[in-house]
Amino acid sequence: DASSNTWLVQAKAGGQEVGWGEAAGFPIVQMQHAQVIYAGMPALKTHLAVIFSTVVNLFNGGFVEIVTPEVYMLSCQALEGFSPLTVYGTEKCTDAGNVARLTVNRTLAPGR
């Protein structure tokens, strides 16, 4: 339940719990109209399409981050098939294992 977003903190010293705490988390807004399309075949290198539209402004320097389960590896390399296609204003793409981040150099208005 998203309304009970709570962070729990545990402090340990020498393997023993010496303290703990609880704090309210930050709100998470699920991106509307998001889709991921890919060939779900094991051990197959394939293309992945991520489709989304924004409901708020994504300002210059903002980013869209794609995180997959750890069994999948993402790449921003053109030699491996990366193409931003219709991501308006993509400045750069960085990847690290199962995470890819598209940074924009223009404001993306809602609906784009």
Side-chain angles (χ1 to χ4, degrees):
D1 179 10
S3 65
S4 63
N5 184 356
T6 303
W7 290 70
L8 300 176
V9 179
Q10 182 181 40
K12 288 186 172 186
Q16 298 272 34
E17 182 179 74
V18 295
W20 65 274
E22 177 180 330
F26 54 88
I28 299 172
V29 179
Q30 175 65 39
M31 184 179 282
Q32 296 179 4
H33 313 292
Q35 295 180 18
V36 178
I37 302 169
Y38 67 101
M41 308 253 320
L44 177 69
K45 195 179 264 192
T46 184
H47 287 93
L48 170 84
V50 178
I51 302 164
F52 68 94
S53 63
T54 63
V55 294
V56 296
N57 284 325
L58 178 60
F59 294 104
N60 178 3
F63 61 88
V64 174
E65 190 168 76
I66 302 158
V67 181
T68 66
E70 292 181 7
V71 297
Y72 297 101
M73 302 300 279
L74 299 174
S75 176
C76 294
Q77 306 303 314
L79 291 174
E80 294 183 8
F82 173 75
S83 173
L85 297 178
T86 58
V87 179
Y88 175 78
T90 299
E91 177 181 32
K92 66 180 177 178
C93 179
T94 51
D95 58 48
N98 67 318
V99 179
R101 179 182 286 189
L102 296 170
T103 304
V104 297
N105 62 4
R106 296 189 173 146
T107 298
L108 294 181
R112 298 212 84 181

